[in-house]
């Protein structure tokens, strides 16, 4: 799996967009970018994934650079409930289910 | 649609006992994966079941076992509990095997005393 690098922590004001970066400079052509988050004491929550095109769903948008060496998860209007640790994972899809999280980014949304 | 459910949510056991945890996946999902999460080790993969067959296994001792039923529900069992087995045990379901778009349950918090 390609290694990912995320900032350890970020703050965001409630109602503003939260932009969480992830570097994955060694990504290979068949690896997807997945984002999960974990709110304290809860199970991880799948957010979004993509290969090369930008993706959007009801939770977030995923912007992947043209060279695919980095990506940004965007929460368009952050709320206090978005305070969580966000994990960026790069994996070949549909090989194994053995998910592994790195340290992630602890996002704190402030009122 | 209903999410992944796990029972029980909390358990306290003593060393040497055994425990069985249950997971009901999202309707239509046929893959169930189990994970152990601790503050020190983070998220660790235990095993994955798909169509009642174990497809992948992590690096855990044989005291950790699981099974999947024809309705995709899954159980995991830990025998001869050790203090180090205290953890949050998470179940995740997905549509297909090896699918990284996984949906996690709330977990079972196991405390071994």
């Amino acid at each position: 799996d390609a290694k990912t690098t995320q900032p350890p922590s970020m703050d965001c004001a409630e109602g503003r967009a939260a932009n969480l970066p992830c570097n994955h400079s060694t990504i290979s052509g068949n690896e997807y970018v997945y984002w999960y988050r974990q709110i304290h004491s809860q199970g991880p929550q799948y957010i979004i994934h993509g290969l090369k095109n930008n993706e959007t769903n009801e939770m977030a948008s995923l912007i992947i650079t043209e060279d695919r060496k980095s990506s940004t998860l965007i929460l368009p209007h952050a709320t206090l409930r978005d305070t969580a640790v966000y994990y960026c994972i790069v994996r070949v899809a549909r090989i194994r289910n053995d998910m592994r999280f790195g340290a992630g980014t602890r996002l704190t949304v402030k009122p | 649609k209903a999410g992944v459910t796990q029972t029980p949510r909390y358990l306290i056991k003593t060393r040497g006992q055994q425990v069985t945890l249950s997971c009901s996946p999202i309707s239509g999902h046929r893959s169930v994966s189990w994970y152990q999460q601790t503050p020190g080790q983070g998220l660790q993969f235990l095993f994955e079941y798909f169509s009642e067959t174990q497809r992948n296994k992590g690096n855990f001792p044989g005291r950790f076992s699981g099974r999947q039923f024809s309705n995709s529900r899954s159980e995991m069992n830990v025998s001869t509990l050790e203090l180090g087995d205290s953890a949050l045990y998470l179940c995740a379901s997905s549509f297909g095997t090896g699918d990284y778009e996984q949906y996690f349950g709330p977990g079972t918090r196991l405390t071994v005393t």
Side-chain angles (χ1 to χ4, degrees):
Chain A
D1 301 344
K3 180 177 162 53
T4 61
T5 304
Q6 299 177 252
S9 64
M10 292 181 63
D11 291 342
C12 176
E14 189 177 18
R16 305 296 293 268
N19 297 289
L20 295 101
C22 180
N23 283 316
H24 31 78
S25 59
T26 61
I27 192 170
S28 59
N30 60 349
E31 288 183 310
Y32 286 71
V33 180
Y34 292 82
W35 282 85
Y36 280 79
R37 72 180 182 184
Q38 190 166 22
I39 297 168
H40 183 61
S41 295
Q42 296 184 22
Q45 180 184 23
Y46 165 81
I47 301 174
I48 198 167
H49 74 279
L51 184 62
K52 26 181 167 180
N53 297 324
N54 298 337
E55 302 288 344
T56 295
N57 63 21
E58 64 279 2
M59 285 184 67
S61 295
L62 174 60
I63 309 296
I64 303 174
T65 57
E66 196 167 335
D67 64 7
R68 304 212 318 125
K69 293 186 177 185
S70 65
S71 60
T72 302
L73 178 75
I74 301 172
L75 308 178
H77 306 287
T79 71
L80 299 179
R81 286 178 297 179
D82 292 321
T83 293
V85 180
Y86 288 76
Y87 299 99
C88 167
I89 305 159
V90 174
R91 280 286 301 232
V92 178
R94 302 192 178 275
I95 300 294
R96 288 172 63 94
N97 261 6
D98 56 340
M99 184 166 306
R100 280 158 284 187
F101 289 163
T105 297
R106 182 172 297 278
L107 174 71
T108 303
V109 181
K110 300 187 171 180
Chain B
K1 59 184 172 185
V4 178
T5 58
Q6 292 187 246
T7 56
R9 293 291 313 278
Y10 302 92
L11 260 182
I12 300 175
K13 291 283 189 179
T14 56
R15 273 182 301 176
Q17 287 187 311
Q18 75 162 23
V19 67
T20 299
L21 312 182
S22 180
C23 171
S24 292
I26 290 172
S27 177
H29 283 190
R30 295 167 63 196
S31 170
V32 172
S33 297
W34 288 90
Y35 295 85
Q36 181 195 68
Q37 189 173 39
T38 59
Q41 299 293 321
L43 193 74
Q44 292 187 282
F45 172 74
L46 281 154
F47 28 66
E48 182 210 354
Y49 285 87
F50 179 81
S51 292
E52 303 177 65
T53 303
Q54 188 180 88
R55 295 301 176 111
N56 294 300
K57 190 175 189 308
N59 294 323
F60 278 81
R63 301 185 295 108
F64 292 82
S65 62
R67 59 177 175 166
Q68 187 180 33
F69 303 96
S70 58
N71 61 359
S72 295
R73 193 177 69 82
S74 177
E75 289 180 347
M76 71 161 276
N77 185 276
V78 187
S79 62
T80 320
L81 284 166
E82 301 176 0
L83 294 178
D85 297 333
S86 294
L88 181 67
Y89 289 88
L90 292 158
C91 159
S93 81
S94 57
F95 183 73
T97 183
D99 194 341
Y100 237 47
E101 186 179 334
Q102 298 184 34
Y103 295 85
F104 284 80
T108 294
R109 185 161 296 282
L110 171 65
T111 302
V112 182
T113 61

